[in-house]
Amino acid sequence: MFPRSLLPYLLITISTLAAQGRKEWIVDQSGGPGHDFRQITHAIPRVKDGDLIHVRPGSYDGFRLDRLGISLLGTGRVIITGTTISNLPAKRETVLRGVQFVTAPLIVPRLEIINCQGRVTLDDVRCTGAPESSAAL
């Protein structure tokens, strides 16, 4: 399910979230077992600061995060079309891990980070002109 290298991170994150009352969400485009949403854009209005979104393999519409610190963890091949992170206040953090941002007609740029005083962490994130057919994320 998850690469072994991510397992310690996931265990720490899950226990930390449980201790702080933070919520975990599952986004799965194919509607697999246990999913909360089929698109990231449907999850964003429901998440709160500190929540964790697990995104299963698939292609997803771009989204906008404004003043919201969350963690988004892609597992497998996760492709997202255009995303903006903006106005993140100091002492908040947004983490994007294991995703590929692609461009689409009339969507520029692929990933935009604007006016963030808090920390934005990108780990194993790719920005490309089109989905890479052989990319391993």
Side-chain angles (χ1 to χ4, degrees):
M1 178 189 267
F2 297 106
R4 289 181 191 252
S5 63
L6 291 179
L7 189 56
Y9 165 78
L10 290 174
L11 294 175
I12 292 168
T13 301
I14 290 167
S15 62
T16 302
L17 291 174
Q20 296 174 351
R22 305 279 165 74
K23 177 112 173 107
E24 285 188 65
W25 304 92
I26 298 174
V27 177
D28 186 346
Q29 182 184 32
S30 66
H35 81 284
D36 297 299
F37 304 98
R38 288 183 181 250
Q39 282 291 330
I40 299 167
T41 53
H42 299 154
I44 297 301
R46 300 281 306 275
V47 299
K48 295 183 175 33
D49 275 318
D51 283 0
L52 173 63
I53 301 174
H54 293 281
V55 184
R56 293 180 179 160
S59 295
Y60 297 92
D61 296 334
F63 58 93
R64 174 179 284 272
L65 287 178
D66 188 50
R67 303 185 59 79
L68 191 60
I70 65 164
S71 294
L72 186 140
L73 175 62
T75 54
R77 186 177 163 85
V78 175
I79 299 170
I80 303 170
T81 305
T83 292
T84 300
I85 300 169
S86 60
N87 304 311
L88 185 66
K91 298 186 181 179
R92 289 192 189 163
E93 180 178 19
T94 291
V95 176
L96 303 177
R97 180 173 283 123
V99 297
Q100 177 184 353
F101 292 98
V102 298
T103 192
L106 306 176
I107 307 263
V108 175
R110 293 171 282 283
L111 174 62
E112 186 173 38
I113 301 170
I114 305 169
N115 194 34
C116 293
Q117 295 183 15
R119 180 184 299 198
V120 177
T121 302
L122 307 176
D123 181 27
D124 193 22
V125 171
R126 297 181 186 179
C127 294
T128 62
E132 296 175 7
S133 60
S134 62
L137 299 177

